[in-house]
Amino acid sequence: MIISRCRTCIALAFAVATGTLGLRAQSPIRLEVDATQAPQQIIHTHMSMPVSPGPLTLCYPKWIPGEHAPDGPIINLTGLQFSGNGKVIPWRRDLLDMFTFHLEIPKGVSVLDVKFDYVEPEATSGFTAGASATDKLVVISWNQDLLYPAGHPAQDLIVSASLKLPEGWKFGTALPVARQEGNRVEFKPASLNRLVDSPVSAGQYYRVVDVTPSGEPIHHEIDLAADSEGALDMNAELQRDYTNLVAETGKLFGARHYRGYHFLLTLSDHVAHFGLEHHESDDSRVDEFSLVDSGQRLNMVTLLPHEFVHSWNGKFRRPRDLSAAYYEEPMKTDMLWVYEGLTEYLGDLLTARSGLWTRDEYRQNLALVAARYGPGRPGRTWRPLLDTAADAQVLYEGPAEWENWRRGVDFYDESVLLWLEVNSIISRETHGKKSLDDFCRLFYGGPNDGPELKPYTFQDLVDALGKIAPYDWAGFFHERLNSTSPDAPLGGVEGSGWKVTYTSIEPSLLQNSEAVHNAIDETYSIGLLLKDDGSVEDSVVTKPAYQAGISAGMKVIAVNGRQFTPQVLRLALRAGTTSKEPLRLLVLNDEYYKTCTIDYHGGESYPHLVRETSRPDLLDNLLKPLAAH
Ligand SMILES: [Zn+2]
């Protein structure tokens, strides 16, 4: 209902606006962004836009590519002022679309001046709309610092942008530079969509690491911005592994579709943490010491492989319904199980193939995923995988509590199981001659014409898979995407010669994750995911703790009469295996204490993969590097 209302509004706005730019639509829009006050959390914009007299509609980008949601941070736009020939021009906001502004350009005005400020939020939640500037660095997402005339596809509007940075700061971006004078950088004119797709990271502490493999003609680099000099200290092994990653993508896809690639990696505890893909770069932001602390490093090691894969799967090839022509057009997200799901599958593979993960770490992660979408996710019984994709714009904002029953953005990790199954079916149907790698070379290959977009449909996808291995792919996906079975789809794991078992030995990957997140994961024993102070993050609705009355938001105070610590809980679980006494948890619910009695004697329980020797080991082959390292 809301979507159709927006569409009507946009159609009307564009009908009015198209004639207004008229003859002057070919002249570039000038955009000057002044980030010299970034440490003070304010960015200044000045635009000069060719216009003709009459009504004009301008938009602030709303649906942000890669974020799959209408989350353009319009709340942070302040100090808006329009003028022509030095005189202020009044404006009014659209009553149905808060991202749209209406003006009447007076006679005699041919250039519109636009000024506004973007104020940086403090909150580190969300994606690019979250905190993006600290005392020492900033990430400029151009969509936050511009307005554009409605009625023109983003690829048809040419923008000539410049950026002023604090004195002495260095920067990195995929956007070609025309010239630099002191702290002012002028970029070559680019289409609006290329500009928005090319963020800039900058900072006082900055380092560029070359990760171009030998013999590779296209340049690849990691541009590091950090809150301290010491945080930039990427060691030679890590540089080698990221260089391997670049080499592995060359072998996997057999083609590149960009002029050069920049991994923009921001290291700070005071910015939002996420990764956002672009065609020739990615905007990835992690904890300050993620490169120098081994635990932090292991925790973020799949991030760059995932974002890099998006250059092919998400940017070069994109579901047609996610290929909006301008930023006010709503996106349909039901194909995110390919856009994000296949990217997650390939990102994990590349993490192992490049040496960033050991094979054992890959398998540990796969076991954890298999468990999460089996006993860890009773929400699968009411909500199929496809609905988590369709509802992405809502689920990205979902909290941790009740995730087991609500579900989250499960189209990422559950799709790892889905695509592993596709791989094992291809292998079975072709008697081991083909794999999903062959599909990658077919679907993402072709000549490098720079950052172009080739949209696809569900039918295009199943047709391409059919060329690799004839099979009822449409029927297969329909079944998997609409299933409400409580069991994880383990056809790929089992078809690859492995099976999931549960033991009392905690995988090292989970130990590391608990240490980084200050958490304790007893999902597969009593069904609790806790912070290490006892706060309940989630309580699985089919498990003993939930049945004993414990839910998310409560806090475990004591275990069998002793003050809660993660260690005390785990010792009690171990003791319970040889005792007939139930586990008693003293729990705080708002201001009330209660004792919950859990008659559980199964001890600790964690998922692992073990070999099923009656079948060949497909994982072993899958994880082998394709490139010579
Ligand atoms: Zn992604």
Side-chain angles (χ1 to χ4, degrees):
M1 197 181 212
I2 292 170
I3 286 175
S4 62
R5 187 181 64 185
C6 288
R7 281 211 163 136
T8 308
C9 155
I10 289 161
L12 284 173
F14 289 175
V16 170
T18 305
T20 315
L21 275 162
L23 296 172
R24 301 186 56 79
Q26 298 302 317
S27 310
I29 294 168
R30 285 207 57 82
L31 168 65
E32 294 172 24
V33 173
D34 179 352
T36 52
Q37 282 181 276
Q40 214 177 327
Q41 318 290 330
I42 186 165
I43 313 286
H44 309 290
T45 280
H46 180 200
M47 301 183 77
S48 307
M49 200 178 288
V51 290
S52 303
L56 177 66
T57 301
L58 297 174
C59 298
Y60 188 72
K62 179 179 185 178
W63 283 82
I64 307 306
E67 299 189 8
H68 318 307
D71 60 347
I74 185 78
I75 186 73
N76 299 327
L77 182 156
T78 63
L80 180 63
Q81 193 171 72
F82 298 101
S83 62
N85 296 338
K87 288 191 180 142
V88 170
I89 298 174
W91 57 273
R92 64 181 170 81
R93 195 184 297 262
D94 192 276
L95 294 179
L96 295 178
D97 183 358
M98 304 304 109
F99 293 71
T100 295
F101 301 92
H102 300 291
L103 294 78
E104 184 75 22
I105 303 300
K107 280 198 175 104
V109 171
S110 59
V111 175
L112 176 70
D113 282 300
V114 185
K115 285 187 174 174
F116 67 86
D117 293 332
Y118 180 79
V119 289
E120 290 284 350
E122 278 296 303
T124 53
S125 54
F127 301 104
T128 51
S132 302
T134 75
D135 202 55
K136 303 297 179 197
L137 58 85
V138 67
V139 183
I140 299 291
S141 302
W142 295 102
N143 56 285
Q144 298 172 349
D145 303 308
L146 58 83
L147 297 177
Y148 69 96
H152 300 266
Q155 66 178 11
D156 294 347
L157 287 169
I158 303 300
V159 183
S160 186
S162 70
L163 176 63
K164 254 172 99 175
L165 292 166
E167 288 292 343
W169 284 24
K170 298 193 182 84
F171 71 96
T173 179
L175 197 62
V177 173
R179 67 188 68 82
Q180 183 177 1
E181 287 164 17
N183 63 337
R184 185 177 179 280
V185 188
E186 189 156 332
F187 298 97
K188 290 182 180 169
S191 63
L192 177 60
N193 67 327
R194 189 101 331 274
L195 178 75
V196 167
D197 198 46
S198 307
V200 181
S201 77
Q204 179 177 334
Y205 303 114
Y206 210 87
R207 183 182 166 200
V208 176
V209 178
D210 192 328
V211 288
T212 312
S214 65
E216 167 62 57
I218 296 177
H219 180 70
H220 295 73
E221 66 183 49
I222 304 181
D223 300 303
L224 300 168
D227 273 336
S228 63
E229 187 74 42
L232 299 173
D233 195 16
M234 179 187 284
N235 65 33
E237 290 76 38
L238 200 52
Q239 181 176 359
R240 179 203 61 206
D241 290 345
Y242 281 123
T243 307
N244 291 344
L245 170 66
V246 175
E248 287 299 326
T249 55
K251 290 289 184 187
L252 174 63
F253 296 110
R256 304 188 188 278
H257 304 282
Y258 46 79
R259 298 164 292 183
Y261 193 89
H262 293 250
F263 295 91
L264 303 181
L265 183 56
T266 303
L267 303 150
S268 170
D269 300 340
H270 305 289
V271 298
H273 289 164
F274 61 87
L276 181 63
E277 64 275 20
H278 299 285
H279 206 130
E280 300 183 299
S281 63
D282 64 274
D283 171 6
S284 294
R285 313 184 193 178
V286 293
D287 290 306
E288 180 175 349
F289 295 110
S290 291
L291 297 183
V292 291
D293 177 288
S294 59
Q296 298 267 17
R297 192 167 60 224
L298 184 59
N299 189 55
M300 57 74 79
V301 83
T302 60
L303 181 63
L304 298 194
H306 176 103
E307 302 308 334
F308 192 30
V309 166
H310 271 315
S311 182
W312 292 263
N313 184 37
K315 291 297 173 180
F316 172 53
R317 301 304 312 263
R318 196 181 314 163
R320 188 168 292 286
D321 285 347
L322 283 167
S323 307
Y326 29 72
Y327 307 104
E328 312 320 293
E329 185 180 336
M331 297 174 187
K332 291 181 190 162
T333 55
D334 56 325
M335 291 278 279
L336 284 179
W337 54 276
V338 191
Y339 182 120
E340 294 295 356
L342 180 55
T343 298
E344 192 75 2
Y345 166 84
L346 294 173
D348 286 357
L349 274 193
L350 289 165
T351 303
R353 287 179 185 174
S354 60
L356 289 159
W357 257 349
T358 64
R359 289 183 190 195
D360 181 53
E361 284 165 343
Y362 175 90
R363 288 193 297 263
Q364 286 187 37
N365 181 67
L366 187 57
L368 289 164
V369 169
R372 191 180 314 137
Y373 299 101
R377 213 37 128 233
R380 294 185 82 254
T381 59
W382 75 269
R383 175 175 233 168
L385 177 61
L386 185 62
D387 187 63
T388 69
D391 195 30
Q393 59 181 288
V394 172
L395 288 174
Y396 274 114
E397 298 297 318
E401 59 258 27
W402 294 101
E403 191 174 77
N404 78 91
W405 185 228
R406 179 196 304 107
R407 305 201 68 173
V409 286
D410 295 354
F411 50 85
Y412 284 80
D413 275 344
E414 190 180 319
S415 301
V416 170
L417 303 176
L418 177 80
W419 288 103
L420 188 64
E421 189 168 7
V422 171
N423 183 70
S424 72
I425 292 170
I426 292 174
S427 177
R428 187 188 69 210
E429 296 293 310
T430 63
H431 307 289
K433 291 192 181 72
K434 297 267 174 76
S435 74
L436 198 52
D437 286 20
D438 295 282
F439 164 80
C440 289
R441 281 184 281 280
L442 173 70
F443 203 61
Y444 303 102
N448 184 355
D449 293 322
E452 65 168 330
L453 166 63
K454 272 180 76 179
Y456 64 87
T457 62
F458 177 79
Q459 192 59 45
D460 296 334
L461 181 80
V462 298
D463 287 350
L465 280 168
K467 284 182 187 160
I468 303 301
Y471 190 69
D472 178 16
W473 292 111
F476 167 79
F477 286 124
H478 182 77
E479 203 282 326
R480 287 288 176 272
L481 292 168
N482 292 292
S483 167
T484 48
S485 162
D487 302 319
L490 295 182
V493 173
E494 288 160 6
S496 300
W498 294 79
K499 66 180 178 187
V500 182
T501 60
Y502 292 81
T503 75
S504 60
I505 300 163
E506 187 178 12
S508 58
L509 214 56
L510 184 60
Q511 286 177 21
N512 187 68
S513 173
E514 288 184 343
V516 169
H517 296 108
N518 303 315
I520 167 169
D521 191 344
E522 285 302 331
T523 299
Y524 309 105
S525 56
I526 53 174
L528 288 182
L529 181 62
L530 302 144
K531 297 302 279 186
D532 59 9
D533 68 352
S535 303
V536 179
E537 289 261 287
D538 206 2
S539 175
V540 181
V541 299
T542 51
K543 290 288 191 174
Y546 174 82
Q547 286 157 357
I550 301 176
S551 287
M554 298 180 188
K555 186 172 184 180
V556 179
I557 303 296
V559 181
N560 293 341
R562 186 174 180 185
Q563 185 177 339
F564 170 88
T565 68
Q567 181 76 350
V568 164
L569 176 61
R570 284 188 162 146
L571 286 173
L573 287 170
R574 274 169 229 165
T577 59
T578 54
S579 162
K580 289 199 165 60
E581 289 295 308
L583 183 70
R584 279 187 295 275
L585 300 185
L586 176 65
V587 170
L588 179 62
N589 187 17
D590 299 329
E591 293 155 27
Y592 289 91
Y593 292 88
K594 63 177 176 180
T595 297
C596 296
T597 304
I598 305 174
D599 194 18
Y600 172 80
H601 301 277
E604 294 169 82
S605 181
Y606 308 103
H608 299 268
L609 286 196
V610 292
R611 270 287 284 137
E612 177 57 81
T613 49
S614 62
R615 292 169 187 260
D617 181 358
L618 292 191
L619 285 189
D620 189 51
N621 226 2
L622 206 55
L623 301 181
K624 274 187 188 134
L626 301 181
H629 295 168

